[in-house]
Amino acid sequence: MLPPQGAAVDALNTRIELTEAERIDRMRLIRSDNVGPRTFRSLVDHFGTARAALERLPELARRGGASRSGRITSAEEARAELAAARKLGVNWLAPGEDGYPARLATLDDAPPLLAVHGEHATAMRPMIAIVGSRNASGAGLKFAGQLARELGEAGFVIISGLARGVDQAAHRTSIASGTVAVLAGGHDCIYPAEHEGLLASILESQGVAISEMPLGHEPRARDFPRRNRLISGASLGVVVVEAAHRSGSLITARMAAEQGREVFAVPGSPLDPRAAGTNDLIKQGATLVTEAADIVNAVQPILERPIMFPAGEDDAEPLEGDPQSHDRAQITGLLGPTPISIDDLVRMSGAPPSIVRTILLELELAGRLERHGGGLVSLI
């Protein structure tokens, strides 16, 4: 049994509170065409506020080659979305506000607004993610529950994806100590539907549900990797209990490693396909877990370090007002369907980094550029 360590707060050094006007502007910007979390951050870094960025969207898209300006969400639509969420007890929060998980806020693709339902204090405590197979073995379910219970007793909140199998076992066992369910759809579109009762129990017991999707959004296959980055990003580390080859849990583990989170894996029998993925993770360097103490000992030094917002990649230089046509032709010519790093584009083109960033932002707002993890971009 692990000794209780208390319910520490995993807080950022600086807290903020948006005005209602700022929240509306943020909602308008993130809901506008071709604006994802990374683009949102780049725009706000450059122009200072979401409102200033909204005013520049048509011009930037035109310069990127768009035949017509993308749709910009109206203030009325943003107000309506915020009001509908509040009727359900859901608050749309920005990074740095109370209730927004502190470690999630440090990601370069953190949701600019996150829909949080439940006890905000729970969302601010240190989290450990537990994920695994949907068709887990009895032994896997038992061990997931045991880990969740003991980690809860040690003061950690358990975060997972509300899926069948390991996720469900982790949530159920940690309801009393604190658990966070990350949704792939909107707060009114629970998947799987059979877990609506489980989610209700979580919320009734001071737990939390989070999502970046609007109300009414039914989860699709491509939404689950987006959800998985929230699970790993909000946590100190991800524990994979059982996972076959090509499992979604392995995607979560990969994202955790890319985000600088700890990756833990529970070993299993080489004869059980459900353990093939976890055994491979251990071969690749994941920390082997046979008891909760393995996890606590690994994350304790991390808890002792302060959490800081990352420096924006665009902080050093502002956007250029209007790059020359030959610059656009050169950068576009270097791009293709294969992802390339922004640093390589700067080096190969010889153009100033601010010029390259400006052109990439124009292309993205025109719907011609895709951003990948690790600072990679490709042409659509």
Side-chain angles (χ1 to χ4, degrees):
M1 183 69 67
L2 294 170
Q5 297 182 10
V9 175
D10 208 353
L12 289 164
N13 290 350
T14 304
R15 309 307 304 171
I16 68 167
E17 185 174 352
L18 297 184
T19 65
E20 186 65 7
E22 289 170 333
R23 207 175 307 278
I24 290 169
D25 290 340
R26 278 183 166 249
M27 183 63 77
R28 289 185 64 198
L29 185 56
I30 193 58
R31 292 287 183 257
S32 295
D33 284 353
N34 301 319
V35 178
R38 286 190 177 91
T39 312
F40 182 102
R41 181 181 172 195
S42 182
L43 287 165
V44 173
D45 281 347
H46 287 310
F47 299 121
T49 65
R51 179 166 297 182
L54 285 163
E55 294 171 356
R56 298 294 298 274
L57 287 184
E59 175 193 356
L60 290 168
R62 176 185 57 77
R63 283 166 28 186
S67 56
R68 57 186 178 85
S69 179
R71 182 179 180 279
I72 298 176
T73 298
S74 70
E76 291 73 20
E77 290 171 311
R79 287 192 193 95
E81 181 169 355
L82 292 170
R86 287 178 183 133
K87 286 183 179 179
L88 295 179
V90 176
N91 294 303
W92 284 97
L93 305 176
E97 289 195 289
D98 286 327
Y100 194 113
R103 293 180 190 274
L104 180 60
T106 67
L107 300 185
D108 60 0
D109 61 348
L113 286 174
L114 184 71
V116 180
H117 189 189
E119 178 55 55
H120 286 190
T122 301
M124 302 304 296
R125 289 168 50 199
M127 300 183 197
I128 300 292
I130 298 180
V131 298
S133 176
R134 286 176 170 80
N135 64 333
S137 67
L141 295 175
K142 181 178 179 180
F143 192 66
Q146 178 181 321
L147 283 179
R149 182 180 65 256
E150 294 184 355
L151 288 168
E153 291 171 352
F156 295 97
V157 168
I158 301 302
I159 184 169
S160 197
L162 202 70
R164 301 180 182 96
V166 167
D167 290 23
Q168 174 185 215
H171 283 308
R172 288 195 186 281
T173 314
S174 58
I175 285 177
S177 56
T179 190
V180 174
V182 186
L183 311 179
H187 277 274
D188 55 348
C189 299
I190 307 307
Y191 181 86
E194 68 205 54
H195 285 176
E196 289 181 1
L198 172 58
L199 182 58
S201 297
I202 290 171
L203 296 174
E204 289 168 2
S205 302
Q206 297 191 318
V208 180
I210 64 174
S211 174
E212 64 181 325
M213 298 302 185
L215 296 180
H217 183 91
E218 294 282 354
R220 304 154 296 180
R222 66 186 181 188
D223 295 324
F224 289 95
R226 291 184 62 175
R227 177 205 64 180
N228 293 351
R229 93 182 191 287
L230 303 185
I231 295 172
S232 55
S235 69
L236 288 153
V238 173
V239 186
V240 185
V241 176
E242 284 185 345
H245 285 306
R246 307 176 68 87
S247 164
S249 298
L250 299 184
I251 296 176
T252 310
R254 175 179 58 78
M255 290 178 170
E258 292 173 353
Q259 294 164 342
R261 307 306 190 246
E262 298 296 308
V263 179
F264 304 94
V266 177
S269 169
L271 301 177
D272 189 344
R274 290 171 292 196
T278 47
N279 289 342
D280 278 352
L281 285 176
I282 293 168
K283 291 178 183 178
Q284 295 163 19
T287 300
L288 185 151
V289 171
T290 59
E291 58 180 345
D294 297 329
I295 301 164
V296 175
N297 292 337
V299 302
Q300 200 64 50
I302 303 172
L303 278 172
E304 296 168 1
R305 298 196 293 266
I307 303 173
M308 302 292 292
F309 280 112
E313 64 174 346
D314 305 304
D315 288 347
E317 300 179 64
L319 278 177
E320 292 292 331
D322 189 4
Q324 299 300 308
S325 57
H326 65 84
D327 291 320
R328 290 194 182 90
Q330 183 183 31
I331 299 301
T332 305
L334 290 171
L335 289 165
T338 301
I340 184 173
S341 77
I342 297 174
D343 288 342
D344 283 343
L345 285 175
V346 171
R347 179 177 54 80
M348 293 176 182
S349 67
S354 57
I355 287 280
V356 175
R357 289 195 297 268
T358 300
I359 294 169
L360 293 178
L361 188 56
E362 292 172 355
L363 290 170
E364 188 169 19
L365 292 172
R368 300 175 59 195
L369 187 85
E370 182 177 1
R371 291 186 185 267
H372 309 269
L376 300 176
V377 293
S378 65
L379 210 58
I380 297 176

